[in-house]
Amino acid sequence: MNAKFSHPFRLALLATAATLSAALLTGCNEPFSQTPEEDTTMLWPAADSTGYWGFINEKGEMVIPAKYDRTYGFSGGVAQVYIDVDGEPLRSTGYQASTLGPLHAFINKKGEVVYTLPEGQGFNDHYFYYGCCRFGDMHKTGMMDNHFSTILAPMDNSVFAPFGPMTKDGLATSILGYFNKKGDVVIPRLIKGVDGYIYEYCKDFCDGIAVIGYYRDNYNIYGAINTKGELVIDTIYPYLQPVGNDRLLYKLKDSDWTYAGLMDTQGNIITEPIIYLGGENFFGDGGLMPVRNREGMYGYIDKNGTMQFPYQYAEALPFYEGYAWVRKATPMVINSTEVEVNAYHLINMQGESVLTLDIWEDPTGLLQFGVHNGLCLVRNYKEQVQYRYTFKYVNLKGEVIYSWVEDSSSRHGNAPERREQEEPDRDEMMLRMFEGTKYYPLAEQCVRSRRAHAERE
């Protein structure tokens, strides 16, 4: 794992209906090694005055028309969208022929559909990680490669899933252990640990190691294995978390629970537990990680635990593409009075502010941790009314490349009024079935689409 945010939990979703997606074109010879953050397609998801989504280029031109109810970011040349069974763009207030919901498809940079999943199936990830993407339905989950070939046939979730996305080390986590890109379990989960214990917990690989653990003496205890399944860090730590840059955060059993130390991937201690946990503890570009003190102020340390930027920020996020968002005291004039407010700044690797947001603005979108291919997505909530926000893409000079106003109220339950159907309780039954699960938003969308179709008829 490199210094960039290649681990899945670093991603920040759009504050709207759009999130990220990534894959390669079928038959493309380009090696698929990037994650969504590392994409260089130079197309960004954006909406227009109709509230539907397409893609803009670096000039702010809508090069793929805004005709989709949902879109996901590009990676490797394709992006995921939802379409109708007729192959037409899906709109939640328009015609929807499918009774099972929208079809999940990938489009290329020309807006052409290059792959579509069968009806009733969806992508669990919405993007590819290191050439692999999870897919399936409400009962089964499988994995395909970046050429849309199945490498792991969908298996019963109650037996095999849930399992994690593919990592840079070429291994994905499952209830059975770790499987490779061929779909073979190469490191079984039931590995004998010290004292004869069985590892109950298996976490994703990062920097060539994966944290494993088990429950003992009324608390969890963790260690780490390498890609061969060999124990490389003894299972003696009540807390162990990879943070990138060949480093992990650890805690000792008898130490102050609010502090952690740094160790390397061989288990060598770098610092004593002196890092106060909180915020986005993860190494970004340049080997810097945001940390905070007990007073709630943030600074940055390097991989040796040495403070590089002192505690001076009200909030600090990891660096990406050489920039990071921080929030710090900034003099501003409000109602003819100069006051200090904690505004967002984009800083470079020297700690210099290159962009300052208004008090009513915050970073959002593709990469909340910095910029994506030279642009930042910013949300203004000063005049928000019923889920109505102003969004804009800005460059590092602060120039607005593209902006729009989004009214997302239609995505918060304002479905068309239902008319009588032969099965009057069908929608309610489906919503009850998925209540409290990750499939509930899709079930809601199916209900809205079916009701809109009934209204159209």
Side-chain angles (χ1 to χ4, degrees):
M1 183 171 179
N2 57 27
K4 293 187 176 182
F5 295 90
S6 53
H7 196 280
F9 64 75
R10 295 297 89 192
L11 290 179
L13 297 177
L14 283 170
T16 63
T19 54
L20 291 174
S21 176
L24 272 186
L25 286 170
T26 304
C28 181
N29 293 322
E30 178 185 353
F32 191 96
S33 60
Q34 78 252 35
T35 61
E37 307 99 313
E38 298 170 296
D39 169 62
T40 57
T41 305
M42 303 300 285
L43 292 175
W44 296 261
D48 65 5
S49 59
T50 68
Y52 293 102
W53 288 75
F55 293 88
I56 62 170
N57 61 16
E58 68 274 12
K59 298 179 181 179
E61 301 166 335
M62 188 69 73
V63 292
I64 296 180
K67 57 185 180 180
Y68 299 103
D69 188 61
R70 289 187 181 183
T71 56
Y72 297 82
F74 268 84
S75 181
V78 295
Q80 188 191 153
V81 298
Y82 288 175
I83 61 174
D84 196 356
V85 290
D86 296 334
E88 296 298 319
L90 171 71
R91 292 193 171 194
S92 59
T93 57
Y95 175 72
Q96 168 64 24
S98 172
T99 58
L100 295 178
L103 299 184
H104 293 233
F106 281 103
I107 61 173
N108 60 21
K109 294 191 291 185
K110 296 180 180 180
E112 301 166 336
V113 175
V114 294
Y115 181 78
T116 305
L117 273 178
E119 189 172 12
Q121 292 190 358
F123 291 103
N124 299 54
D125 292 321
H126 299 306
Y127 31 76
F128 282 75
Y129 283 114
Y130 302 103
C132 298
C133 179
R134 295 173 295 176
F135 73 100
D137 57 24
M138 63 191 74
H139 303 297
K140 296 182 178 180
T141 304
M143 183 171 282
M144 66 174 59
D145 65 20
N146 54 290
H147 299 293
F148 307 116
S149 298
T150 298
I151 60 176
L152 184 67
M155 300 181 68
D156 193 312
N157 289 343
S158 63
V159 177
F160 194 74
F163 58 86
M166 188 61 65
T167 65
K168 185 178 181 180
D169 296 289
L171 295 170
T173 312
S174 78
I175 196 171
L176 300 180
Y178 298 94
F179 62 90
N180 59 21
K181 293 185 179 182
K182 295 181 179 179
D184 302 322
V185 176
V186 292
I187 304 178
R189 182 179 183 179
L190 300 180
I191 307 171
K192 287 289 184 179
V194 295
D195 302 328
Y197 283 87
I198 300 299
Y199 296 145
E200 301 174 72
Y201 309 105
C202 299
K203 300 184 180 181
D204 293 341
F205 268 88
C206 177
D207 294 333
I209 64 170
V211 171
I212 48 82
Y214 50 86
Y215 189 76
R216 183 177 68 180
D217 299 331
N218 297 318
Y219 69 96
N220 292 331
I221 189 166
Y222 300 98
I225 59 174
N226 61 19
T227 55
K228 297 179 181 180
E230 301 166 337
L231 190 67
V232 292
I233 298 178
D234 289 337
T235 47
I236 59 174
Y237 301 98
Y239 178 89
L240 199 59
Q241 177 63 55
V243 289
N245 210 18
D246 296 320
R247 293 292 184 265
L248 300 92
L249 287 175
Y250 75 93
K251 293 178 183 178
L252 299 174
K253 180 180 178 181
D254 298 324
S255 63
D256 188 332
W257 187 250
T258 58
Y259 286 90
L262 281 175
M263 71 166 57
D264 64 22
T265 51
Q266 286 75 49
N268 300 310
I269 300 300
I270 305 300
T271 73
E272 296 299 317
I274 56 175
I275 300 171
Y276 190 79
L277 290 177
E280 298 290 342
N281 297 130
F282 198 83
F283 281 100
D285 284 357
L288 296 181
M289 181 175 72
V291 291
R292 74 168 185 171
N293 58 21
R294 278 189 176 274
E295 288 68 41
M297 298 302 292
Y298 290 79
Y300 289 87
I301 62 172
D302 61 20
K303 64 185 300 182
N304 296 317
T306 304
M307 184 67 68
Q308 297 298 313
F309 297 163
Y311 296 111
Q312 57 183 306
Y313 307 114
E315 183 181 358
L317 300 175
F319 279 85
Y320 186 70
E321 292 188 17
Y323 298 92
W325 285 110
V326 297
R327 200 160 52 90
K328 65 178 182 179
T330 306
M332 289 188 175
V333 177
I334 302 178
N335 295 330
S336 302
T337 303
E338 185 172 305
V339 296
E340 277 200 347
V341 296
N342 284 323
Y344 278 100
H345 293 252
L346 191 69
I347 62 172
N348 58 23
M349 296 297 299
Q350 290 72 49
E352 302 165 337
S353 177
V354 299
L355 180 63
T356 302
L357 300 186
D358 185 86
I359 183 177
W360 300 106
E361 296 176 333
D362 58 17
T364 184
L366 295 175
L367 282 172
Q368 187 177 354
F369 306 105
V371 300
H372 184 59
N373 291 329
L375 294 185
C376 310
L377 183 58
V378 176
R379 177 182 63 174
N380 186 302
Y381 53 91
K382 182 177 183 179
E383 299 178 358
Q384 67 181 49
V385 178
Q386 294 295 321
Y387 305 105
R388 187 178 177 88
Y389 299 93
T390 298
F391 291 86
K392 62 182 180 181
Y393 280 104
V394 298
N395 61 21
L396 298 179
K397 298 179 181 179
E399 300 168 337
V400 178
I401 303 301
Y402 184 87
S403 66
W404 72 94
V405 176
E406 181 177 357
D407 183 356
S408 57
S409 59
S410 63
R411 297 184 175 91
H412 292 266
N414 293 344
E417 183 179 354
R418 184 185 178 198
R419 74 170 199 179
E420 286 299 317
Q421 303 178 32
E422 293 182 4
E423 301 176 83
D425 295 327
R426 183 178 182 184
D427 292 343
E428 284 77 3
M429 289 176 62
M430 181 166 62
L431 291 177
R432 284 199 299 269
M433 181 186 300
F434 295 110
E435 186 175 4
T437 72
K438 64 181 180 181
Y439 298 100
Y440 190 79
L442 182 57
E444 284 186 310
Q445 186 178 26
C446 295
V447 170
R448 289 199 301 270
S449 298
R450 187 180 299 114
R451 290 176 179 175
H453 183 197
E455 287 295 319
R456 184 184 178 98
E457 289 183 332

